[in-house]
Amino acid sequence: MNITFLGTGTSQGIPIIGSNHPVCLSDDTKDKRLRSSIMVEWGNFRYIIDCGPDFRQQMLRENVDAINGILFTHEHADHTAGLDDIRPFSHKMGNVPLYVPERIIGNLEQRFYYIFTKVNRYPGAPSAGIQVVENEVFTLGDKEVLPIEVIHGKLPIFGYRFDDFAYLTDLKTIEDKEKDKLKNLDTLVVNTLRKEPHPTHLNLEDALSFIDELQPKRAYLTHISHNLGFHKEVQEQLPENVFLAYDGLKISV
């Protein structure tokens, strides 16, 4: 299975518009981060997790000409605002399958009503079909996917486990029964917003503690803000099996 980090930034991305913060002014390409998303590929299957406002740019950068569907973690704009840009895919394949936690269906149908309406549809509007994701195993292609419920502040959201790979974003807390689903991982991806504590996200200390508790063979940090620091400097301070992800990074699991 191949994983591509389409974006590794937090809600505003890096650089932030109008910011003079040193990280926002960095010339290092690894300090330039689009909104968080990954692409998961195996065999003839290709799925995207989250479809943020940089979705079009990410698809063009990776030269993606077809997808099998999109999984959503939650409804926040940095994870959903690019939904209109599924249009080229839907024109090729018809309804693009969207795997959506039931709680957020109404949110998407309200914000993107023209995608989901069945009355007086605009001819060029994208089309999508919603597949409800509950907190139980479901199948994508020939592979089982296990949702992991985590808490983002007070909001329950989903991460996903494919085989021995798990992707968690916007995590702040997690119940033990959900943490049990993350045992014996080869690769864990988890959000790490900044060094200072944050009310709805793990900071660097939280994330490293979480990784140390779960003991995956390796871990990658994502959903990163400029306040975490320069990529090169942060990476030099991490344990040997923990890596700071960056946009365009590709790994095999």
Side-chain angles (χ1 to χ4, degrees):
M1 197 164 56
N2 296 313
I3 309 297
T4 301
F5 288 84
L6 300 173
T8 56
T10 188
S11 58
Q12 296 183 84
I14 305 174
I16 294 174
I17 295 171
S19 174
N20 291 319
H21 188 282
V23 174
C24 292
L25 300 177
S26 172
D27 291 328
D28 186 347
T29 58
K30 292 180 181 178
D31 286 324
K32 301 183 186 304
R33 302 182 185 276
L34 302 177
R35 268 58 74 96
S36 289
S37 173
I38 62 169
M39 180 163 62
V40 184
E41 300 175 279
W42 71 94
N44 295 318
F45 298 101
R46 178 186 291 140
Y47 290 89
I48 310 298
I49 299 183
D50 285 336
C51 179
D54 302 313
F55 179 72
R56 173 181 174 275
Q57 185 177 350
Q58 292 162 342
M59 296 296 96
L60 289 171
R61 187 191 72 210
E62 300 299 330
N63 196 29
V64 177
D65 60 0
I67 61 174
N68 294 97
I70 302 172
L71 290 74
F72 288 93
T73 60
H74 64 296
E75 65 267 43
H76 287 168
D78 54 323
H79 298 264
T80 58
L83 189 56
D84 183 75
D85 286 324
I86 65 171
R87 189 176 308 185
F89 296 129
S90 72
H91 289 172
K92 286 183 179 180
M93 64 188 291
N95 282 352
V96 176
L98 307 179
Y99 297 84
V100 181
E102 186 169 17
R103 192 199 72 254
I104 77 172
I105 293 173
N107 178 287
L108 294 181
E109 289 179 338
Q110 180 181 30
R111 291 164 54 210
F112 300 97
Y113 66 92
Y114 59 93
I115 294 178
F116 300 103
T117 186
K118 294 178 172 56
V119 179
N120 296 324
R121 284 183 57 83
Y122 178 70
S127 57
I130 287 180
Q131 310 290 323
V132 177
V133 175
E134 299 179 346
N135 195 2
E136 57 187 37
V137 173
F138 64 100
T139 301
L140 292 181
D142 57 1
K143 199 172 287 293
E144 289 188 340
V145 181
L146 178 63
I148 314 293
E149 185 178 85
V150 304
I151 307 300
H152 175 31
K154 296 183 179 179
L155 186 70
I157 69 174
F158 279 156
Y160 295 101
R161 178 170 180 162
F162 295 71
D163 298 334
D164 294 331
F165 167 83
Y167 180 78
L168 306 178
T169 182
D170 292 61
L171 161 66
K172 178 61 179 180
T173 59
I174 181 171
E175 294 185 4
D176 287 342
K177 64 184 178 64
E178 298 298 315
K179 198 180 296 182
D180 286 343
K181 298 178 183 178
L182 298 168
K183 292 180 178 179
N184 303 314
L185 286 173
D186 178 82
T187 305
L188 170 67
V189 179
V190 65
N191 57 296
T192 308
L193 190 71
R194 63 191 192 189
K195 293 179 180 176
E196 299 80 13
H198 190 273
T200 64
H201 287 271
L202 298 181
N203 68 358
L204 180 58
E205 181 181 359
D206 295 333
L208 292 178
S209 176
F210 185 64
I211 292 165
D212 188 59
E213 180 182 1
L214 291 179
Q215 290 289 305
K217 292 180 182 178
R218 59 179 176 170
Y220 290 84
L221 310 181
T222 193
H223 209 288
I224 294 160
S225 83
H226 60 296
N227 288 316
L228 186 62
F230 293 104
H231 184 282
K232 184 176 185 297
E233 293 179 2
V234 175
Q235 181 60 61
E236 289 173 351
Q237 300 168 11
L238 296 177
E240 63 179 11
N241 68 326
V242 179
F243 306 92
L244 206 57
Y246 55 88
D247 290 20
L249 172 65
K250 301 177 190 300
I251 62 173
S252 295
V253 296

